[in-house]
Amino acid sequence: MKKYIDQGKNDTRSGFGAGLTELGRTNPNVVALCADLVGSLKMETFIEENPERFFQIGIAEANMMGIAAGLTIGGKIPFTGTFANFSTGRVYDQIRQSIAYSDKNVKICASHAGVTLGEDGATHQILEDIGLMKMLPGMVVINPCDYNQTKAATIAIAEHEGPVYLRFGRPKVANFTPADQKFEIGKALMLNEGTDVTIIATGHLVWEALIAAEALEAQGISAEVINIHTIKPLDEEAILKSVKKTGCVVTCEEHNFLGGLGESVARTLTLNHPAPQEFVATQDTFGESGTPEELMEKYGLNNKAIEKAVVGVLKRK
C-alpha cells in the first residue's frame, strides 16, 4: 500500500481562504461576498488586499445570493461565503431561481459542513446539503479532502463557467495531498490500488479511508481507495473500472446516506454494473452537540466504521 503522510493538520476552510487570496492577486474579476462570517471563512487577507472587491452583506444570506447573481451580469465572478447550512437550506429558493435556473457564474462556498462543525449542534450541522445541491441542474458539487486540495479547488472553480457549490469544514484535519496539485473538476483520484474492495470517499473521510485501508492490509484485505472530490459531475468511469475489478464497494461521506455521494454511486452501479455496497454516512438523522471526534465516533464516520463496513460488504460478494 502506498503510504500517505500527514504534512500537518489544518482546516479546509483555511485552504479556501488561501485559494481566494491567490485569486485576488491573479484574477481581477473575482469578487467576494460574506454574510457576517469573515473570520470563520478565512477571508481577511482577500479583504485587506482587495477592499473594493468585497461586499459585507450581513446576516442576509438570501440577499447575498441575489446580489451575487446580479454581479455576474457585469462579468464578475462572485464567491459567496457562509456556513454550509446557511449557504444551502436557508437560501435554496434563491439559489434555484436566481443562480441555477438562470445559469449564473456564482461560486457558493460553504464552510462548517457536516457534524464536524461540532459543539454548535444540529441546527448548524447540515447533513443534507450535497443532496440539495446536486439535484439542481447545472450545479457542480465539490467536496475536497484537505487544506491543499481545498485551496486548489477554490482556484480551479474560478475558471469554470457556471454555478459551483464548494463544501469544506471547520476542524483541523490531516493535510496529505500535494501542495502543487492540479485540481481537475470531475476527475476522481486513485490513492491506493487494491483487488478485494473499492473504498470511495469524499471530504474528511478520505484520510479515514486511507487509515482503514492500511489496517485492512494487515488483515490480508486489499482495499482500493478513490478520492471523489467532485460529486457532480461524477467520475463514473473511474468508479466502474474499480468495482468491476473488486466486485464490491464502500462509500464514505460526512453526510446523510440519503442523497449524498453513496446514492450517486449506487445509481451508477445499478444502471451499469450492480455490485454489493455499504454506506458509511449518517443514517437519516440530525447531529448533536459534541467534539468532532466524539460525533464522528457516535455516527460511524471514522476509520473503524469503514473497516467494519468493508468486512460486511465482503461477506456479500
Side-chain angles (χ1 to χ4, degrees):
M1 174 179 175
K2 183 178 179 180
K3 306 296 182 184
Y4 289 86
I5 298 172
D6 181 355
Q7 304 161 31
K9 289 182 170 50
N10 209 337
D11 47 321
T12 48
R13 58 179 172 153
S14 289
F16 165 71
L20 186 64
T21 296
E22 185 165 327
L23 285 171
R25 297 166 181 167
T26 59
N27 191 330
N29 286 322
V30 168
V31 296
L33 302 85
C34 192
D36 204 30
L37 288 167
V38 165
S40 294
L41 273 289
K42 306 296 182 181
M43 303 172 85
E44 298 97 330
T45 305
F46 177 91
I47 297 168
E48 290 168 7
E49 296 183 0
N50 312 279
E52 75 289 354
R53 290 157 61 189
F54 173 72
F55 304 89
Q56 176 57 274
I57 308 303
I59 305 173
E61 294 87 355
N63 192 32
M64 179 170 70
M65 295 302 169
I67 293 170
L71 284 165
T72 66
I73 297 172
K76 300 303 180 186
I77 306 172
F79 281 63
T80 68
T82 186
F83 289 180
N85 194 23
F86 310 143
S87 289
T88 57
R90 179 173 286 183
V91 295
Y92 197 67
D93 182 57
Q94 284 73 25
I95 292 173
R96 184 184 187 275
Q97 305 296 94
S98 299
I99 296 175
Y101 175 67
S102 303
D103 193 29
K104 292 294 188 289
N105 192 29
V106 176
K107 316 308 173 185
I108 302 165
C109 304
S111 184
H112 293 56
V115 295
T116 52
L117 169 59
E119 292 81 355
D120 285 2
T123 57
H124 286 50
Q125 296 163 348
I126 194 162
L127 294 163
E128 316 90 61
D129 55 315
I130 290 173
L132 287 170
M133 300 306 279
K134 80 175 188 180
M135 286 190 293
L136 290 171
M139 182 69 70
V140 169
V141 178
I142 296 174
N143 188 39
C145 67
D146 67 358
Y147 171 95
N148 285 341
Q149 191 166 79
T150 306
K151 178 182 178 182
T154 302
I155 295 167
I157 64 175
E159 298 300 319
H160 173 82
E161 184 65 33
V164 176
Y165 179 59
L166 178 64
R167 182 190 206 245
F168 43 92
R170 176 189 189 184
K172 292 184 183 298
V173 295
N175 187 34
F176 61 96
T177 65
D180 60 349
Q181 66 188 278
K182 177 176 172 53
F183 189 92
E184 188 174 348
I185 294 172
K187 186 67 174 177
L189 296 173
M190 175 70 70
L191 300 185
N192 187 67
E193 294 191 10
T195 56
D196 296 327
V197 60
T198 298
I199 302 176
I200 296 174
T202 189
H204 295 162
L205 265 67
V206 175
W207 180 251
E208 298 294 324
L210 289 170
I211 296 172
E214 192 169 347
L216 290 164
E217 184 180 47
Q219 303 169 41
I221 299 171
S222 175
E224 187 146 289
V225 179
I226 300 175
N227 173 8
I228 296 284
H229 52 64
T230 305
I231 296 167
K232 182 187 175 186
L234 188 67
D235 191 344
E236 296 186 349
E237 181 180 354
I239 291 167
L240 291 169
K241 180 180 179 181
S242 178
V243 177
K244 284 176 181 179
K245 176 174 63 172
T246 64
C248 61
V249 62
V250 172
T251 51
C252 314
E253 58 192 313
E254 189 187 346
H255 187 271
N256 194 342
F257 80 96
L258 297 170
L261 168 66
E263 273 200 353
S264 291
V265 171
R267 178 185 181 278
T268 298
L269 295 176
T270 298
L271 293 175
N272 298 280
H273 185 78
Q277 178 177 348
E278 293 286 335
F279 296 74
V280 173
T282 58
Q283 302 298 305
D284 195 22
T285 183
F286 291 103
E288 62 186 284
S289 182
T291 67
E293 294 76 18
E294 289 170 339
L295 295 170
M296 296 280 275
E297 175 71 28
K298 174 166 184 175
Y299 293 102
L301 301 175
N302 57 18
N303 57 84
K304 294 297 182 184
I306 296 171
E307 282 186 59
K308 182 179 179 181
V310 166
V311 172
V313 81
L314 286 172
K315 294 176 181 177
R316 296 169 53 203
K317 282 181 70 172

